Amino acid sequence: AQTVTQSQPEMSVQEAETVTLSCTYDTSENNYYLFWYKQPPSRQMILVIRQEAYKQQNATENRFSVNFQKAAKSFSLKISDSQLGDTAMYFCAFMRQNYGGATNKLIFGTGTLLAVQP
Amino acid sequence: GAGVSQSPRYKVAKRGQDVALRCDPISGHVSLFWYQQALGQGPEFLTYFQNEAQLDKSGLPSDRFFAERPEGSVSTLKIQRTQQEDSAVYLCASSLGFGRGSPEAFFGQGTRLTVV
């Protein structure tokens, strides 16, 4: 079974600074996807960034980038130039690659509450 | 529609009451998922539909939970004889489906169920 671990329940960062959120996972699969989702108080899960396990290059989306270490099963999220609107819960999630019959459900960590201070 | 829509956004039920939660996925999305999110936790998988077929219901916590998607679009999650431990946010997500592009799941805003 796959598991996802986020060891930082809460983080705080000053506006305009950089913060890194940690995530580790455990799986015996070789092909899978990793995601970071943001959940603001409105409760809607919003995709921040996605990484395919077969890609060695780390994914980037504007101010958001990941450090994907497949051998170490580590997938951290770096937020640069933090903004007040980045304040939210951040969830790391794992999805096995779907071969047609399997459920491509997301397995989530417990989340990290990020507070961006003015 | 433009996004995944869930209703109601809030539901208060008396213990023992039956509830029905609705999810309207993005048009054309084949895959539909239900998740349960307890306070302070990450979402946990409940069940999965591919079109109208319920292919995985391994996450449903008891036989009081029932989900359907009869025409392959709108889905309903029903909870019978609600208990206090059912209090949670119920999230619905949809995606294009296997072999149809990005595996990304799009989420609705959830229904917060409180059982009193």
Side-chain angles (χ1 to χ4, degrees):
Chain A
Q2 292 85 14
T3 58
V4 177
T5 302
Q6 293 179 252
S7 58
Q8 304 155 315
E10 296 183 21
M11 294 279 286
S12 182
V13 64
Q14 291 295 124
E15 198 174 4
E17 293 190 347
T18 295
V19 64
T20 298
L21 308 184
S22 301
C23 172
T24 59
Y25 59 95
D26 190 24
T27 184
S28 57
E29 303 278 342
N30 193 45
N31 297 314
Y32 49 88
Y33 303 96
L34 294 164
F35 303 86
W36 279 97
Y37 278 90
K38 168 185 176 180
Q39 188 178 42
S42 67
R43 296 199 307 263
Q44 185 160 18
M45 286 282 191
I46 301 164
L47 180 66
V48 174
I49 199 164
R50 177 184 104 201
Q51 176 81 40
E52 289 89 341
Y54 68 86
K55 290 186 177 179
Q56 292 186 336
Q57 188 173 8
N58 289 324
T60 61
E61 286 288 342
N62 301 313
R63 297 183 296 109
F64 300 88
S65 62
V66 298
N67 183 2
F68 172 49
Q69 301 290 328
K70 190 172 183 180
K73 295 180 182 173
S74 170
F75 183 62
S76 61
L77 174 69
K78 185 171 81 171
I79 306 174
S80 304
D81 186 26
S82 297
Q83 300 176 0
L84 295 178
D86 295 334
T87 294
M89 280 289 286
Y90 286 80
F91 291 96
C92 178
F94 171 99
M95 178 194 291
R96 61 187 292 185
Q97 190 163 349
N98 190 335
Y99 295 106
T103 303
N104 54 337
K105 64 187 177 187
L106 287 160
I107 297 169
F108 289 89
T110 51
T112 296
L113 179 59
L114 177 66
V116 180
Q117 307 293 342
Chain B
V4 179
S5 177
Q6 291 188 248
S7 61
R9 286 215 61 196
Y10 302 90
K11 176 69 179 178
V12 178
K14 291 185 177 179
R15 192 172 56 174
Q17 187 179 358
D18 297 349
V19 299
L21 312 180
R22 177 189 169 103
C23 172
D24 200 341
I26 293 172
S27 178
H29 278 194
V30 167
S31 297
L32 185 146
F33 303 83
W34 284 98
Y35 292 86
Q36 180 189 59
Q37 186 176 19
L39 188 64
Q41 300 295 316
E44 293 194 355
F45 170 78
L46 292 177
T47 188
Y48 161 61
F49 289 86
Q50 184 174 300
N51 294 308
E52 70 279 2
Q54 188 176 19
L55 298 187
D56 189 339
K57 52 184 180 179
S58 62
L60 295 177
S62 77
D63 58 8
R64 296 186 295 104
F65 286 71
F66 171 76
E68 60 183 5
R69 193 186 184 196
E71 297 179 358
S73 56
V74 171
S75 177
T76 304
L77 176 67
K78 298 178 179 177
I79 309 173
Q80 298 176 323
R81 305 181 303 281
T82 51
Q83 304 294 316
Q84 283 193 316
E85 61 263 29
D86 299 336
S87 295
V89 173
Y90 291 85
L91 295 169
C92 177
S94 69
S95 66
L96 287 169
F98 171 71
R100 300 184 69 201
S102 169
E104 178 184 348
F106 295 84
F107 283 81
Q109 290 187 294
T111 295
R112 181 182 295 280
L113 173 66
T114 304
V115 181
V116 298

